[in-house]
Amino acid sequence: MNEKISAEQMLNNIFDIMQRLYDEMRSDENKTGGHLKVFEIFADLGRTLVEADRASFWRWDKRQHLLITTAATGTSQIVISDKTGLVGQALAENRAVLTNDPYNNPNFNSAVDKKTGYVTKSILVMPVSDCRGEIIGAFQVINKLGDGGFDEVEDTKRLSIAAFICGMALESDIFMADSQRDKLTELKNRFGFHSDYQKRYRRRTSIMSAIICDIDFFKKVNDTYGHNAGDAVLVHVSKILASKIRDGDNVYRWGGEEFVIVLEGANVDGAAAVAERIRLAIMDSVCKFEDKEIRVTMSFGCTEMDSSLTIEENIQVADARLYRAKETGRNRVIAAD
C-alpha cells in the first residue's frame, strides 16, 4: 500500500477532487441524467479524507430491501440484501461500524475477496441520512493506508464530511426518482416516461414500439364498488402489465386508468402480440377486493416509433388507435390505421 501522505498533499488532493466535482456537475452528461460520475467523485473524496485504499457509496432501496452501490472503487455495481454485511449492520443500528479485523467479524462478507483475491484489513462504514434524519444510504471505506487501521474518532470525523455531502446529493437523486414514480401502482409516471425518453429512447438506434392502453368502463368500477376498489383494480392491472414485459422494457402509468408500454427492439406486429397476451391475461384475471371479485377488460393501441416524429406525435398515433379500439367494441388491440 502507499505511505501516508502529508497534510499539505491531502489538502491539495481534496481541492483537486472538488474541482473535478464542480466541473462534472456542470457537464452536459450530468445535465442529461448521467450523474453517476458525480457519486464516483464523492467516493474518491471519502477515500482521500481518511486515506483509504478503496471506497464505496451505497443507496438503500427500501422498497426492494436492497443495498446498491452508486460508486465503488475497483469493481462494478454491487447489489446485496439490506440485511447483510457491515453496511447492513450500520443501517440497522444507525451508527458507524468499524473493524480492523474483518475476517473475524461475523458480519463481514468475504465472498468478494475470495473471488478477486483482494485482502481486506480494515473497514469503516457510516450511515448517510437525508435532511429529515432518515437513513438513505451508507459510505464505506476499506483498508487504511500505512500502518494500523481506522481510528474510530478521527476517521469517523473525517469521513462525516463526505457522508454529509453525499447525503445531500443522494437525497436530491431520490427525490427526483420518487417524482417519476406513481405512488399507488409503483410504476413510473408520465414524468418518468419523458425522463427515460431523454436519457434512453431519444438516442436509440434500433426499432422501438409503444402500446397505449386503458381499462374499459373504469368509471363504472368506481361508481359500483367505490374508489378504493378502483385503486385495487389499478394495482391489479399494473402488476399484470409489469409481469408481461421483458427486462429492459417499461410500463408507465400515463394518467387515470391509462398506461403506456415501451418495447425496445420490437416492431408494431411484435407490440400487437404483446398487447394481445396482456389483453387475454387481464380478461382472464380476477381482482379480489374485500369480499368482491372484480373483472375488467382493456383496450390497446400500438405503434412503431417513427424517428421523424416527436414523442408526442408518436403517442398520438397509438392513442388514435386506442380510441378506435374503444369505439369499435373495446377489449381489443388495434395496430394499424
Side-chain angles (χ1 to χ4, degrees):
M1 291 185 182
N2 299 326
E3 294 297 324
K4 295 185 72 173
I5 62 176
S6 68
E8 182 179 359
Q9 185 180 351
M10 174 183 284
L11 189 59
N12 286 332
N13 288 344
I14 292 171
F15 286 155
D16 288 342
I17 291 170
M18 298 309 292
Q19 180 66 55
R20 285 168 48 206
L21 180 60
Y22 175 76
D23 292 340
E24 182 62 32
M25 293 285 284
R26 298 172 63 247
S27 69
D28 290 339
E29 182 181 1
N30 188 60
K31 291 174 184 175
T32 56
H35 52 277
L36 292 182
K37 183 67 175 177
V38 169
F39 289 108
E40 292 175 8
I41 298 174
F42 284 145
D44 198 24
L45 174 63
R47 184 185 62 80
T48 300
L49 284 167
V50 298
E51 299 176 79
D53 181 51
R54 293 187 173 187
S56 55
F57 184 55
W58 299 75
R59 175 174 60 85
W60 189 10
D61 187 334
K62 297 179 183 180
R63 186 168 58 89
Q64 299 188 67
H65 303 288
L66 295 175
L67 290 164
I68 306 162
T69 53
T70 59
T73 307
T75 186
S76 56
Q77 188 177 76
I78 303 171
V79 180
I80 61 173
S81 166
D82 62 4
K83 306 298 183 185
T84 62
L86 292 169
V87 177
Q89 180 187 353
L91 298 185
E93 299 177 4
N94 192 15
R95 67 176 181 89
V97 172
L98 183 152
T99 178
N100 291 317
D101 186 17
Y103 292 108
N104 287 316
N105 187 304
N107 289 317
F108 175 65
N109 184 352
S110 62
V112 175
D113 285 13
K114 292 177 181 178
K115 182 179 179 180
T116 64
Y118 187 79
V119 177
T120 301
K121 297 181 179 180
S122 52
I123 301 173
L124 171 60
V125 186
M126 289 188 67
V128 171
S129 302
D130 62 18
C131 64
R132 299 179 301 277
E134 295 182 6
I135 301 174
I136 55 177
F139 208 128
Q140 176 178 253
V141 286
I142 299 174
N143 285 357
K144 180 80 171 182
L145 299 178
D147 298 329
F150 291 112
D151 182 271
E152 186 171 5
V153 175
E154 187 64 26
D155 287 318
T156 298
K157 181 171 63 176
R158 289 186 174 195
L159 189 58
S160 67
I161 298 173
F164 172 73
I165 297 172
C166 280
M168 290 191 297
L170 184 57
E171 181 175 17
S172 176
D173 203 50
I174 291 172
F175 178 80
M176 179 62 73
D178 286 346
S179 72
Q180 296 175 8
R181 192 168 294 278
D182 176 59
K183 295 187 183 303
L184 174 65
T185 63
E186 297 189 348
L187 298 176
K188 288 187 178 181
N189 56 25
R190 189 180 296 210
F191 183 32
F193 171 84
H194 285 286
S195 177
D196 285 351
Y197 176 76
Q198 291 297 323
K199 289 186 290 187
R200 293 176 51 188
Y201 306 145
R202 187 165 59 90
R203 297 181 179 87
R204 73 189 186 279
T205 55
S206 61
I207 60 174
M208 183 172 72
S209 291
I211 302 168
I212 188 165
C213 53
D214 76 3
I215 302 170
D216 298 326
F217 302 112
F218 184 68
K219 184 178 182 301
K220 185 177 180 181
V221 172
N222 283 328
D223 292 343
T224 303
Y225 302 104
H227 287 278
N228 288 340
D231 286 349
V233 169
L234 288 169
V235 172
H236 171 76
V237 165
S238 298
K239 289 179 179 178
I240 295 176
L241 293 174
S243 72
K244 297 299 180 182
I245 59 174
R246 306 163 299 178
D247 290 342
D249 295 333
N250 276 296
V251 55
Y252 305 86
R253 186 179 179 191
W254 199 241
E257 69 271 28
E258 199 166 43
F259 302 84
V260 165
I261 302 168
V262 176
L263 307 172
E264 297 193 59
N267 60 21
V268 69
D269 291 334
V274 172
E276 179 63 14
R277 287 198 297 272
I278 295 172
R279 185 189 70 80
L280 292 172
I282 295 291
M283 185 175 65
D284 293 340
S285 70
V286 177
C287 174
K288 295 183 179 180
F289 175 74
E290 296 177 347
D291 59 343
K292 306 173 183 68
E293 292 190 349
I294 306 171
R295 294 180 179 272
V296 295
T297 61
M298 294 189 75
S299 300
F300 301 79
C302 309
T303 188
E304 186 175 320
M305 296 291 216
D306 184 341
S307 58
S308 67
L309 302 177
T310 67
I311 186 61
E312 291 80 8
E313 289 169 338
N314 275 294
I315 293 298
Q316 285 173 6
V317 173
D319 197 39
R321 292 170 180 172
L322 168 63
Y323 180 79
R324 284 178 51 218
K326 297 183 80 68
E327 287 294 299
T328 55
R330 293 181 170 81
N331 190 23
R332 63 186 58 197
V333 176
I334 300 292
D337 293 330

